[in-house]
Amino acid sequence: GAVVSQHPSWVICKSGTSVKIECRSLDFQATTMFWYRQFPKQSLMLMATSNEGSKATYEQGVEKDKFLINHASLTLSTLTVTSAHPEDSSFYICSAPGRFPERDEQFFGPGTRLTVL
Amino acid sequence: DQQVKQNSPSLSVQEGRISILNCDYTNSMFDYFLWYKKYPAEGPTFLISISSIKDKNEDGRFTVFLNKSAKHLSLHIVPSQPGDSAVYFCAASINTGTASKLTFGTGTRLQVTL
């Protein structure tokens, strides 16, 4: 299957700082990528859809000014958590559609554990 | 509003027996359903999917059954193996022909015992 990587795999930062998470599709191009967040013992919640060359689409309740998404190339999308606070501590996961988008299969990155002190 | 629900947070099955994981949904617009397996601190791994025009899809030890009238689907794993122990997420989407957003259930933790 397709490979999606994320960097870093974990990060600890101080409250008020910004953190950038990278999502790369390693062996295929992705004009669309998705960003999810998972709190402990909860489901994966879609935060936003990242679109190459255009603005991201955010889900209801997700602050676009706090979670900045940039999809600058067909293989890279970045999520920047600005002015992070302890409540932003979570597991952030990106995904990209497979070769057959009509089948809705998505390939997920390994995730990034963010801890805000 | 949880549109995709997995009412059993955990399930324990003996090795070699059948594991049955259940999922219910409320949005009748969903027309594609997927199952993902997830280990701690890792991203989900795609297992199997089914289109709403079918009622069964089988891939090796994994079979997914869909009952549209009941808005219910299930994943059967047989025979269950210790390596199957993980959290299983049910997901649904409205297929638009392009990349679609997935709505995930809350997950069921499967423990396969020896």
Side-chain angles (χ1 to χ4, degrees):
Chain A
V3 178
V4 176
S5 71
Q6 274 184 248
H7 177 81
S9 55
W10 59 270
V11 57
I12 301 173
C13 70
K14 293 182 179 180
S15 185
T17 60
S18 294
V19 174
K20 180 186 284 188
I21 303 170
E22 293 184 349
C23 177
R24 293 182 185 273
S25 56
L26 296 184
D27 53 357
F28 66 105
Q29 294 180 334
T31 55
T32 301
M33 291 184 177
F34 300 95
W35 286 96
Y36 294 82
R37 180 169 53 183
Q38 185 188 23
F39 291 108
K41 298 185 179 180
Q42 294 189 22
S43 183
L44 283 79
M45 298 299 295
L46 179 66
M47 298 175 65
T49 303
S50 174
N51 304 299
E52 189 269 336
S54 65
K55 291 182 179 180
T57 305
Y58 290 82
E59 295 301 301
Q60 191 172 11
V62 178
E63 301 175 54
K64 62 180 181 180
D65 294 330
K66 180 169 183 62
F67 298 99
L68 301 179
I69 290 173
N70 184 20
H71 197 146
S73 77
L74 289 172
T75 59
L76 173 64
S77 174
T78 60
L79 169 68
T80 301
V81 183
T82 63
S83 186
H85 289 97
E87 57 265 31
D88 298 323
S89 298
S90 187
F91 193 56
Y92 292 86
I93 311 174
C94 69
S95 73
R99 288 172 51 199
F100 307 101
E102 67 277 7
R103 284 162 48 175
D104 285 345
E105 295 168 25
Q106 292 182 21
F107 296 95
F108 286 81
T112 297
R113 170 74 59 193
L114 170 63
T115 301
V116 185
L117 301 176
Chain B
D1 177 32
Q2 190 73 28
Q3 296 186 63
V4 179
K5 301 178 184 179
Q6 293 175 256
N7 292 319
S8 298
S10 64
L11 174 69
S12 183
V13 173
Q14 206 169 20
E15 181 181 13
R17 299 286 184 104
I18 184 171
S19 295
I20 300 176
L21 297 96
N22 293 303
C23 178
D24 296 293
Y25 61 96
T26 58
N27 190 341
S28 57
M29 297 296 291
F30 287 140
D31 54 9
Y32 206 78
F33 304 91
L34 309 92
W35 284 95
Y36 282 85
K37 176 180 179 180
K38 185 180 183 299
Y39 294 112
E42 293 184 12
T45 302
F46 171 75
L47 272 178
I48 192 169
S49 61
I50 188 168
S51 165
S52 60
I53 63 174
K54 296 185 177 181
D55 55 18
K56 176 183 175 181
N57 188 26
E58 189 172 354
D59 184 2
R61 296 186 298 115
F62 303 94
T63 302
V64 56
F65 295 91
L66 175 63
N67 182 334
K68 281 189 66 177
S69 61
K71 294 190 177 70
H72 176 84
L73 64 154
S74 61
L75 173 68
H76 293 211
I77 306 173
V78 55
S80 300
Q81 300 174 354
D84 296 330
S85 297
V87 178
Y88 288 78
F89 287 97
C90 168
S93 72
I94 300 171
N95 196 306
T96 62
T98 57
S100 303
K101 298 187 290 188
L102 296 180
T103 301
F104 282 85
T106 49
T108 297
R109 180 175 301 280
L110 172 65
Q111 180 72 39
V112 179
T113 59
L114 299 174

